[in-house]
Amino acid sequence: MIKVLARSIGEYKKASIMTPLLVMVEVILECAIPFVIAQLVNQMQAGCTMDVIAMYGAILIVMSVVSLIFGAAAGSTCATASTGFAKNLRRDMFYKIQDYSFENIDKFSVSSLVTRLTTDIVNVQMSYMMIIRVAIRGPLMLIFSFAMGFIMGGRLAMIFLFTIPILGIGLALVIRAATPIFRRVFRKYDALNDSIQENVQAMRVVKSYVREDYEKKKFGAAAENIRKDFTRAERIMAINSPMMQFCVYSGMVFVLSYGSYAVITGRGLDINVGQMSAMLTYSFQILMSLMMLSMVFVMITMSAESAERIVEVLSEESTLTSPENAITEVKDGSVDFENVSFKYSKRAERMALADINLHIKSGEVIGILGGTGSSKSSLIQLIPRLYDVTEGSVKVGGVDVRKYDLETLRNQVAVVLQKNVLFSGTIKDNLRWGNPDATDEEMEEACRLAQADEFIQQFPDKYDTWIEQGGSNVSGGQKQRLCIARALLKKPKILILDDSTSAVDTRTDALIRQGFREFIPETTKIIIAQRVASVQDADRIILMEGGRISAIGNHDELMASNDVYREIYTSQNRAGGDNNAE
């Protein structure tokens, strides 16, 4: 785990190394100051002159200033290293997620990934900051203070040999009890964020069903559950502080009482006043170092689970990668499914697709119809290799898709998904997702084909109109047409429309399909639809049922030979066939 996280330190290695070195000098000076003070006290007790006092005073001032300078420098390098480490960690996680296949993404929920990119990284950043500074300062001060205590106090310092092991055992027991609770809490954080995401995305549904009170109670219960666990963990961790203070203050009381007795009865022969004052200072420094170590252990305990969750994301390897010597050119838009079966998970009991044999010529228009759950979307997701087949093979341009370079293949297969997504930015910004180098003329042509240019021209800023996140300031039909135009700008050999004209009226739908036939005749068009009218003029129509192809043919052939198709056509035409007008 440490090795994986350490890769993200990157260019901040220098700051990470400098921090402990600066802290070391700071601690040495802080531990030397009580020794100098002890010498000053002894000199004063012996009746020294003001010159000697001034000399010791000057030495103490210089040591304090230098210690302060090194401490401030350590704070600066520590901040640079920890924030830089967190930045790199977020970058590495985000880049890793971008390389995930759909199968990898299915393994992590969106809310869990968001929690790992935010809360978990903040925890690890805080822990890293403490490790390179406080975790170095605490042990060094403990060791130096302990050593100087023995030098100055002799057997009086033996008290520390009893208190430190007791504290160590207590701290280990506290951490052992708290760690499982923190592990459970972060899983509940995922569930809480999942609830928030679901609620925000479905806000219109929540309001239309007047379920705000129900959602508030559900959120409140989840938040209360986390509060209880965190309270329990914090109570356990809180035991550490009073236990530590009791042990150390007991030691200080012993030093003060026994030391005073030794000074008085021994008349300064066994231990003098200067040694006594130094011992008290070193006792206080040991207390401070133990408090620092306590804080570090608490933070590390909290962040250990976060670190494991981050490493889980960074260590996940994409299930889809480009092969060695990958093919970088797609000859044409032909598609062949040969004995294809597919399931989303190895643990799945049944196949989503079974025994699919289908051959599509380049330039053909293929319609796909089927009920909900008939695996229409699963079928087309195998073409750009969003998933790999479980059995058989899918070929594009006569070549198995697993032999292509992934970027090459996906640049030649444009998919307009059922859930259309627009990003915050202008219309031009969104269109250029299809082709970053597209000219204004090319964008306008693509929008005319997608029947989007007409409504864009009605906006005051036309193609510079700002689109809100998710496309919330345009209608469903406008969003679909912009997404189709974006896909056309890729100039693909295969264009797949996954029920992506459901929000436009039948006239606009027909104009879009007419434009495809006239302007991109060599592009293979695969149209998934719920309306027969959307695929009626296709070269062939595929009827799917239960993950299998139940019938193939053109409109007239299926009307004559297939009862299911004929029933769908009849029922939709009887209902008017246009219930999805914009």
Side-chain angles (χ1 to χ4, degrees), residues 153-193:
R155 64 178 182 273
L156 192 63
M158 293 293 289
I159 185 62
F160 300 137
L161 291 178
F162 292 98
T163 56
I164 292 174
I166 294 171
L167 289 173
I169 293 169
L171 188 59
L173 292 174
V174 166
I175 291 171
R176 183 179 177 184
T179 299
I181 301 175
F182 283 123
R183 185 174 292 121
R184 188 166 63 243
V185 162
F186 286 113
R187 285 197 294 268
K188 290 181 179 180
Y189 261 132
D190 289 345
L192 182 68
N193 288 341

Side-chain angles (χ1 to χ4, degrees), residues 276-288:
M276 180 67 188
S277 66
M279 281 296 297
L280 288 172
T281 305
Y282 287 129
S283 297
F284 182 74
Q285 287 185 342
I286 288 172
L287 170 63
M288 294 302 297

Side-chain angles (χ1 to χ4, degrees), residues 398-432:
V399 177
D400 192 314
V401 293
R402 290 169 290 195
K403 294 182 179 179
Y404 280 112
D405 173 72
L406 272 174
E407 188 173 338
T408 298
L409 174 65
R410 290 173 182 172
N411 274 331
Q412 294 301 324
V413 181
V415 183
V416 184
L417 296 171
Q418 185 175 4
K419 294 181 180 179
N420 299 284
V421 177
L422 294 176
F423 299 89
S424 55
T426 64
I427 289 176
K428 285 182 179 179
D429 293 336
N430 275 274
L431 292 173
R432 286 197 172 106

Side-chain angles (χ1 to χ4, degrees), residues 294-492:
S294 173
M295 290 168 54
V296 171
F297 277 115
V298 169
M299 195 64 234
I300 289 176
T301 302
M302 288 182 61
S303 63
E305 178 62 19
S306 292
E308 287 182 13
R309 286 156 53 86
I310 291 168
V311 169
E312 190 179 4
V313 173
L314 292 173
S315 301
E316 181 78 9
E317 294 298 330
S318 177
T319 56
L320 300 179
T321 54
S322 299
E324 292 184 14
N325 303 315
I327 297 171
T328 56
E329 184 179 355
V330 179
K331 184 177 68 175
D332 56 43
S334 61
V335 181
D336 298 287
F337 288 79
E338 296 179 353
N339 303 313
V340 168
S341 294
F342 167 71
K343 57 183 178 180
Y344 284 97
S345 170
K346 293 178 182 178
R347 297 187 298 272
E349 295 181 1
R350 60 180 293 274
M351 295 286 184
L353 293 167
D355 303 323
I356 302 294
N357 284 283
L358 176 64
H359 303 281
I360 302 170
K361 297 176 183 177
S362 184
E364 266 194 301
V365 179
I366 301 295
I368 302 178
L369 287 174
T372 302
S374 59
S375 296
K376 304 184 296 296
S377 296
S378 300
L379 181 75
I380 59 97
Q381 286 177 356
L382 300 178
I383 298 173
R385 205 185 167 203
L386 299 177
Y387 290 96
D388 266 343
V389 298
T390 306
E391 298 172 8
S393 66
V394 177
K395 296 180 179 178
V396 171
V399 177
D400 192 314
V401 293
R402 290 169 290 195
K403 294 182 179 179
Y404 280 112
D405 173 72
L406 272 174
E407 188 173 338
T408 298
L409 174 65
R410 290 173 182 172
N411 274 331
Q412 294 301 324
V413 181
V415 183
V416 184
L417 296 171
Q418 185 175 4
K419 294 181 180 179
N420 299 284
V421 177
L422 294 176
F423 299 89
S424 55
T426 64
I427 289 176
K428 285 182 179 179
D429 293 336
N430 275 274
L431 292 173
R432 286 197 172 106
W433 273 68
N435 178 5
D437 301 318
T439 64
D440 290 352
E441 292 74 18
E442 287 174 326
M443 285 189 282
E444 289 176 13
E445 182 185 6
C447 288
R448 280 193 291 271
L449 279 175
Q451 302 301 307
D453 182 70
E454 182 180 353
F455 74 79
I456 292 173
Q457 295 296 341
Q458 294 174 5
F459 292 142
D461 296 325
K462 297 182 171 48
Y463 283 82
D464 291 315
T465 298
W466 184 264
I467 299 294
E468 300 293 342
Q469 185 179 16
S472 59
N473 59 331
V474 292
S475 70
Q478 290 170 339
K479 190 188 298 184
Q480 286 186 338
R481 282 175 275 176
L482 287 172
C483 289
I484 292 171
R486 181 174 64 190
L488 289 172
L489 280 170
K490 292 183 74 171
K491 299 179 181 176

Side-chain angles (χ1 to χ4, degrees), residues 484-513:
I484 292 171
R486 181 174 64 190
L488 289 172
L489 280 170
K490 292 183 74 171
K491 299 179 181 176
K493 288 186 168 64
I494 301 171
L495 176 63
I496 300 171
L497 305 181
D498 186 359
D499 203 19
S500 51
T501 57
S502 58
V504 301
D505 56 77
T506 51
R507 176 181 172 276
T508 303
D509 188 10
L511 289 172
I512 291 172
R513 287 182 281 111

